[in-house]
Amino acid sequence: MSRKVINYYAGGNTAKGFYNLFESNMQELEHILLLKGGPGTGKSTMLKKLADSWVQQGYRIERIHCSSDNDSLDGLIIPALQFGIFDATAPHILEPKTPGAIEKYVNLGVAWDKTKLKESQDEINELQTKISEAFHSAYDCFAEGLHIHDYLEDIYINEMDLNKANQVTEELIQKILLNKTSTHGNAVVRHRFFGASTPKGVVDFIPSITEELTKRYFIKGRAGTGKSTLLKKVAAAAEESGFDVEMYHCGFDPESIDMVVIRELGVCIFDSTDPHEYFPKRQGDEIVDLYKQTITPGTDEKYKSDITYYTKSYKQKMKDGITYLQEAKLLHDKLEKIYIDAVDFAVIDEIYSTIYKEIAELAGHS
């Protein structure tokens, strides 16, 4: 059994608002626990304890991080046991499709002292309103940033040789998939984020996701040079050949793709530009430069002033949005404190023990 942790996000604070990809990562799970309960009930702490325990026992796990709190987890998957446990509260509300058969609710709210919470009702309502306003302000900033970014993309789109772009894409697909078919049949496509806009800025887990892969293609280019289109075509070709595919969406524009992983082949292809810029440093790493191969030479120089203006403007909007995420986090910490003071953690410990035993039974432990 591979003792390995893969970290990623299944929800993101984006230019399209909060973007939820949780259900895509619940495919093929036969045992799902959905945690209900307000802030401060120990959901993330429980997930971290379970993750640490089962990775120490040699299990491969997936840790799903929270984009609104850098120190929190939103989910844990143990693929070998077809088991997953998730924070099912807002903004990533998860509802069971086959309640009782696959999914089961775990209500952490039973540990609350409702009398204490009733006394703080007005403060809770006020904080919740302010948190919601802060998130909406963040999303507005990101949306404005994306609108500006579109102008930047247009510069390069108008200078692109589409035939060359298609040729580069086809050559890459052939290099990755030529005469290769999956050994396990039907492909499963999972949608995720490798990074996110968080209260601590833009964060990514590319090293964790790609650690075991033997071949990494670093896609270089500019906005509008066809990186996402290339990645979508590679993913479609891999799926058609029967390979499971991990598609990692852009944390800024979730309708774009920033990475494709074909784990069975040990391959990933990813947008390796700012704010997630990486460079080759191990054997098997290779750069694919779409700017050099598909864009009219001298484009950067020709449109230098416009490029500088649009780049500075959209990045400022991103910074403004992150400032609002920081505000939401501070408000959420105050809200969490109210709930923590009203929680009986002995009850939470009992719930944790019950969950641990359920997982142990799946693992065949007595």
Side-chain angles (χ1 to χ4, degrees), residues 91-324:
H92 34 76
I93 298 172
L94 300 172
E95 298 293 344
K97 293 182 178 179
T98 52
I102 293 179
E103 303 98 345
K104 183 173 71 173
Y105 280 129
V106 178
N107 181 17
L108 303 183
V110 296
W112 285 332
D113 181 335
K114 293 184 175 64
T115 302
K116 281 189 177 181
L117 293 179
K118 189 68 176 176
E119 292 169 356
S120 302
Q121 180 177 335
D122 290 343
E123 187 179 0
I124 290 171
N125 286 333
E126 183 181 358
L127 285 169
Q128 287 176 330
T129 298
K130 288 182 177 179
I131 290 169
S132 178
E133 289 172 350
F135 275 116
H136 279 102
S137 294
Y139 300 149
D140 286 344
C141 287
F142 295 151
E144 290 173 29
L146 181 58
H147 182 67
I148 296 167
H149 192 268
D150 288 343
Y151 291 117
L152 186 62
E153 285 193 345
D154 286 343
I155 292 172
Y156 292 101
I157 290 171
N158 292 330
E159 295 290 341
M160 177 186 287
D161 185 326
L162 291 177
N163 289 328
K164 286 184 180 178
N166 290 332
Q167 182 181 343
V168 171
T169 301
E170 288 306 314
E171 287 175 356
L172 186 58
I173 290 172
Q174 288 297 311
K175 192 182 292 188
I176 295 169
L177 295 170
L178 183 62
N179 299 324
K180 295 172 184 173
T181 54
S182 174
T183 59
H184 67 77
N186 294 332
V188 175
V189 179
R190 294 178 175 85
H191 295 266
R192 303 169 172 175
F193 295 98
F194 66 58
S197 294
T198 78
K200 291 185 179 180
V202 177
V203 175
D204 74 70
F205 291 112
I206 290 172
S208 167
I209 293 165
T210 68
E211 182 181 345
E212 296 178 307
L213 304 177
T214 55
K215 184 67 181 180
R216 303 189 300 176
Y217 292 95
F218 295 64
I219 308 300
K220 299 294 184 179
R222 309 287 189 272
T225 52
K227 299 185 296 292
S228 177
T229 300
L230 179 150
L231 289 165
K232 288 176 182 177
K233 288 182 177 179
V234 171
E239 182 184 2
E240 191 175 334
S241 297
F243 292 102
D244 288 352
V245 177
E246 297 166 23
M247 295 184 71
Y248 292 84
H249 292 241
C250 173
F252 178 38
D253 177 5
E255 294 176 5
S256 290
I257 300 299
D258 274 352
M259 176 189 277
V260 171
V261 173
I262 312 165
R263 210 162 282 278
E264 190 176 338
L265 296 178
V267 172
C268 81
I269 313 95
F270 72 101
D271 179 341
S272 181
T273 59
D274 183 61
H276 34 79
E277 186 171 22
Y278 288 82
F279 295 93
K281 65 176 185 179
R282 46 187 227 219
Q283 189 174 0
D285 288 351
E286 183 177 333
I287 287 176
V288 178
D289 194 326
L290 293 178
Y291 179 78
K292 286 183 179 179
Q293 296 187 66
T294 69
I295 302 297
T296 306
T299 294
D300 280 350
E301 293 77 14
K302 181 180 178 181
Y303 299 98
K304 182 179 179 181
S305 61
D306 285 346
I307 291 169
T308 300
Y309 173 76
Y310 291 136
T311 300
K312 183 178 179 180
S313 297
Y314 98 79
K315 285 188 174 182
Q316 184 58 54
K317 289 297 180 184
M318 293 299 295
K319 289 179 182 177
D320 293 344
I322 285 170
T323 298
Y324 283 114

Side-chain angles (χ1 to χ4, degrees), residues 11-31:
N13 298 306
T14 80
K16 310 288 184 181
F18 182 81
Y19 208 83
N20 187 340
L21 296 172
F22 276 81
E23 288 191 9
S24 174
N25 294 283
M26 296 163 71
Q27 297 177 78
E28 299 190 314
L29 298 181
E30 292 295 326
H31 314 278

